[in-house]
Amino acid sequence: MSQKAEKPTLSGTRLKTRKRDEKEKYDPTAFRDSIIAGLSECGGDLDQVSRYLDREGSKLNYRRYAEVLFDILFAGGILAPGGFIVESVDSGKPVRSDICVFRWDGELGQLRNFYSVFYKLIRRYKYLEKAFEDDLKKILMFQKGFSVDEREKLAKITGIILANGLCTPRILLSLFEDHLVKEGISLEFAATMFSTWLKEKDINAICAALKKQQVDTRLMEMFPLNKRNQENFASFFRERGLGAIADMQTAQMASKAKKEAQKNLADMIKEESSVPDMIEYVTDLLEKQGMSETEVTMSIWNSVMAAVEWNKKEDLVAEQALKHLRQYFPLLKVTARSGKSELALMLKVQEFCYENMNFLKSFQKIIMLLYKNEVISEDVILKWYKDSHSAKGKSVFLDQMKKFVEWLQNAEEESDEEEGEED
């Protein structure tokens, strides 16, 4: 019986590497050399620069070398920690391009033109958006290594970038670094940046952008610890012609103080603190902490009305409200001392009764309580009735106050007649 001879086999293992699995060596220097060479051929024409960058994106790995790309466009070359340009030892090739923010004309119009290079590049290659923001944040941190002129150009184009929403104000967190704060670099940068930003957008847009990233509450951190106060903040920015920024910070501090006051008042009510202690606290808010009568009055009202779980029945909630308010009207009497703060309180009561439907029929009773206890004067009530009321629930509340207002007007006329007879 014959047996089939076995076929010979090769020993060992044969490995086949897929092309997609072969990792490209990370070579930022070669990428830099390629970009700088390409930019040098554009002859300083930014339209050509944009076209070149658009075209090279299909050949060069922008995703991998995004940091190098933006370092070149901002500073002209690869930035080392500290803000210095990385040099090549023996390559003999240029390590820095003249087509960059730092070597461009610092006039605002020219920097706006350079901004368009960033805008077109990121619009074309959307994946570069985050890398752009991260690199700009890093570059802001390296400012100590830049010249005064370079920092000024960087501040201006940052203002343009933020105004146009190409990145978020999150980049400004770099300005709170100690080494920048101590040298005064953060403040000078902020002054130039905000000045540029205000030329592009109004203060409301700036406030909204800063608030969205929670940077608005930290601007004071650009000052050294021993100068970190509202007076120095306002003085610095007003001297630079940036009163809008100073006012924004003042409003921010006032809002913070108002929230804190409201919380403290709420805690005092909850803990059933004595009225004299609470009067002492609100007096301190007015005299030492600089809050206005209207701000403190609103804080008292909000805290007092938020301290109770109100009855859901209209006929019972009025009695409950009046009983509760009787305890705290001495506080309102201390703070609502001018016609302005009294009217603000009356409008606040109107707004509260409108927004809390169970209180619709309670408005007149609450106002009468405040009038009888000399918190709101008859002049303010007449002014509110005539032309200063809110549109919220207008017809309902005017109807409730009609008889009382007529009584006040008649009493005023009778008083005038009596004075005339005496004369």
Side-chain angles (χ1 to χ4, degrees), residues 86-139:
V86 174
E87 302 286 346
S88 294
V89 182
D90 297 317
S91 72
K93 295 179 180 178
V95 297
R96 190 164 190 176
S97 169
D98 289 331
I99 309 296
C100 66
V101 171
F102 286 180
R103 292 191 172 183
W104 207 248
D105 187 339
E107 291 297 319
L108 208 55
Q110 293 298 319
L111 287 172
R112 282 195 188 103
N113 292 338
F114 205 99
Y115 161 80
S116 69
V117 172
F118 292 116
Y119 173 74
K120 290 174 184 176
L121 177 62
I122 292 171
R123 187 179 63 177
R124 174 67 177 85
Y125 299 102
K126 194 71 175 173
Y127 60 79
L128 289 174
E129 198 168 18
K130 186 178 186 305
F132 175 72
E133 183 163 312
D134 289 342
D135 195 61
L136 182 50
K137 186 179 178 184
K138 179 201 75 176
I139 292 171

Side-chain angles (χ1 to χ4, degrees), residues 24-293:
E24 177 191 348
K25 180 185 174 184
Y26 183 68
D27 191 354
T29 304
F31 179 87
R32 176 202 64 191
D33 293 345
S34 180
I35 291 291
I36 289 178
L39 292 176
S40 67
E41 294 175 3
C42 295
D45 186 329
L46 293 183
D47 287 333
Q48 284 193 45
V49 169
S50 289
R51 285 194 291 272
Y52 163 73
L53 292 172
D54 191 348
R55 186 173 63 250
E56 289 301 296
S58 60
K59 304 172 187 176
L60 299 176
N61 193 343
Y62 281 177
R63 190 183 295 275
R64 192 172 192 194
Y65 295 102
E67 183 178 358
V68 178
L69 176 62
F70 289 124
D71 276 1
I72 294 168
L73 291 175
F74 274 106
I78 299 174
L79 285 170
F84 305 103
I85 298 293
V86 174
E87 302 286 346
S88 294
V89 182
D90 297 317
S91 72
K93 295 179 180 178
V95 297
R96 190 164 190 176
S97 169
D98 289 331
I99 309 296
C100 66
V101 171
F102 286 180
R103 292 191 172 183
W104 207 248
D105 187 339
E107 291 297 319
L108 208 55
Q110 293 298 319
L111 287 172
R112 282 195 188 103
N113 292 338
F114 205 99
Y115 161 80
S116 69
V117 172
F118 292 116
Y119 173 74
K120 290 174 184 176
L121 177 62
I122 292 171
R123 187 179 63 177
R124 174 67 177 85
Y125 299 102
K126 194 71 175 173
Y127 60 79
L128 289 174
E129 198 168 18
K130 186 178 186 305
F132 175 72
E133 183 163 312
D134 289 342
D135 195 61
L136 182 50
K137 186 179 178 184
K138 179 201 75 176
I139 292 171
L140 297 189
M141 207 178 297
F142 287 171
Q143 284 187 79
K144 200 171 179 180
F146 306 152
S147 68
V148 173
D149 183 58
E150 288 169 345
R151 289 200 292 262
E152 185 177 353
K153 290 175 182 176
L154 180 62
K156 286 180 180 178
I157 202 160
T158 299
I160 296 168
I161 287 166
L162 289 171
N164 289 280
L166 197 58
C167 71
T168 71
R170 187 177 69 93
I171 59 170
L172 301 181
L173 296 176
S174 296
L175 299 182
F176 308 140
E177 294 290 323
D178 286 343
H179 67 282
L180 297 178
V181 172
K182 287 176 183 176
E183 298 287 331
I185 293 172
S186 294
L187 278 177
E188 290 300 329
F189 178 92
T192 304
M193 179 203 67
F194 278 126
S195 179
T196 305
W197 198 347
L198 280 165
K199 287 183 175 78
E200 306 285 319
K201 298 288 180 180
D202 64 27
I203 189 63
N204 294 325
I206 294 174
C207 289
L210 293 173
K211 189 173 183 179
K212 190 173 182 180
Q213 297 297 321
Q214 299 179 336
V215 177
D216 58 326
T217 58
R218 298 188 60 185
L219 295 180
M220 193 75 76
E221 293 176 38
M222 293 186 295
F223 287 79
L225 275 170
N226 61 337
K227 295 181 179 178
R228 203 169 287 177
N229 58 59
Q230 181 59 30
E231 185 179 347
N232 285 330
F233 188 102
S235 175
F236 175 83
F237 283 101
R238 289 193 192 285
E239 284 174 8
R240 299 300 196 283
L242 294 167
I245 302 300
D247 293 341
M248 177 185 73
Q249 179 66 15
T250 301
Q252 170 64 37
M253 295 297 288
S255 175
K256 184 179 177 182
K258 202 170 357 178
K259 288 176 183 176
E260 188 176 342
Q262 202 161 305
K263 181 183 179 301
N264 290 338
L265 284 166
D267 290 341
M268 293 176 87
I269 293 169
K270 187 177 179 181
E271 294 165 5
E272 298 183 354
S273 299
S274 68
V275 172
D277 285 345
M278 295 178 75
I279 288 175
E280 185 180 346
Y281 176 69
V282 297
T283 303
D284 183 76
L285 291 176
L286 290 169
E287 296 177 359
K288 295 181 181 178
Q289 297 190 36
M291 288 180 67
S292 69
E293 289 182 14

Side-chain angles (χ1 to χ4, degrees), residues 320-383:
Q320 182 189 12
L322 297 178
K323 183 179 178 181
H324 180 62
L325 282 168
R326 280 191 186 96
Q327 301 174 68
Y328 301 106
F329 73 77
L331 293 178
L332 294 168
K333 194 172 180 179
V334 168
T335 59
R337 297 178 296 193
S338 66
K340 182 181 177 181
S341 52
E342 289 177 32
L343 182 59
L345 175 59
M346 194 164 178
L347 289 168
K348 188 67 178 177
V349 176
Q350 179 183 352
E351 182 183 301
F352 179 87
C353 291
Y354 176 78
E355 291 176 354
N356 298 271
M357 299 302 286
N358 293 340
F359 281 84
L360 272 179
K361 294 181 179 178
S362 304
F363 175 75
Q364 189 262 357
K365 294 176 181 178
I366 293 173
I367 297 301
M368 287 297 296
L369 176 71
L370 296 174
Y371 168 73
K372 288 177 180 177
N373 288 281
E374 300 179 345
V375 177
I376 293 177
S377 67
E378 62 182 69
D379 288 343
V380 167
I381 294 173
L382 291 171
K383 181 177 176 59

